Amino acid sequence: AQSVSQHNHHVILSEAASLELGCNYSYGGTVNLFWYVQYPGQHLQLLLKYFSGDPLVKGIKGFEAEFIKSKFSFNLRKPSVQWSDTAEYFCAVNAKMSNYQLIWGAGTKLIIKP
Amino acid sequence: NAGVMQNPRHLVRRRGQEARLRCSPMKGHSHVYWYRQLPEEGLKFMVYLQKENIIDESGMPKERFSAEFPKEGPSILRIQQVVRGDSAAYFCASSPGGNIDQAFFGQGTRLTVV
């Protein structure tokens, strides 16, 4: 069965620290990859997505993610985090056989200390 | 555009009661998706609906759960005779077509069964 694994359930960093959140998926076929973020009290919103092309994807708010096909990974990075990045981050995968089903990781709660 | 609106944000029900969760899609969106997030887990697909039609309910529990998206009004996820295991966050998303990558999510409804 397809699955998505996010390695850290909770991450605490200080402002200006660099961030990397891990995401691995298990599916042998072609996939679309997503990172979503949910700020406290707000909607889930799309941070970035990868469909094809350049495996380094740039998203909103200075986030980027790199698709490494050989490692089945799509890690999220930000060089210098801010207090406002405190949120929960979800990795999700959409197998191209389905247009509408996403397989989600369990999420990572990120807390940035001011 | 108000975005995808879910209400209530928080719902407390006693075991055996009914829970009704509402999702108003974004203006112009005729496709709705419901996902459930159990504690410490990723979101899981439940059902995909278009106006007046259930397209895929493969993720819905076989009993007590039902969903509708009438011609007028919000989509409703109904849970009859709730049990403690139904306690979860229920997310709704909508899109103009049947592609999840174009979907916008709501804030979720947190159901607590006591």
Side-chain angles (χ1 to χ4, degrees), chain B residues 76-90:
Chain B
I76 306 284
L77 180 68
R78 182 181 176 208
I79 312 171
Q80 295 178 288
Q81 299 173 325
V82 295
V83 300
R84 288 243 170 93
D86 297 331
S87 294
Y90 292 82

Side-chain angles (χ1 to χ4, degrees), chain A:
Chain A
Q2 299 166 40
S3 65
V4 176
S5 173
Q6 291 183 242
H7 312 300
N8 306 98
H9 284 228
H10 295 89
V11 172
I12 302 174
L13 294 172
S14 297
E15 276 196 311
S18 65
L19 170 72
E20 181 159 3
L21 300 182
C23 173
N24 286 88
Y25 65 93
S26 65
Y27 180 68
T30 307
V31 293
N32 297 326
L33 299 152
F34 304 81
W35 275 97
Y36 285 86
V37 61
Q38 188 174 29
Y39 298 101
Q42 295 190 27
H43 299 66
L44 265 172
Q45 57 183 286
L46 183 65
L47 205 51
L48 49 78
K49 61 185 178 184
Y50 172 81
F51 280 15
S52 62
D54 188 346
L56 185 61
V57 180
K58 304 255 184 233
I60 59 172
K61 306 190 180 188
F63 286 91
E64 65 178 31
E66 186 175 11
F67 171 49
I68 303 179
K69 190 174 181 180
S70 60
K71 294 185 178 180
F72 297 89
S73 71
F74 190 54
N75 292 355
L76 182 71
R77 299 196 292 248
K78 186 169 182 178
S80 176
V81 294
Q82 300 171 303
W83 177 79
S84 57
D85 293 324
T86 294
E88 189 161 16
Y89 293 80
F90 295 91
C91 180
V93 171
N94 165 226
K96 288 197 173 177
M97 51 192 267
S98 167
N99 285 339
Y100 54 84
Q101 285 203 28
L102 286 173
I103 311 297
W104 296 74
T108 298
K109 287 187 170 70
L110 175 65
I111 296 173
I112 306 300
K113 297 185 293 184

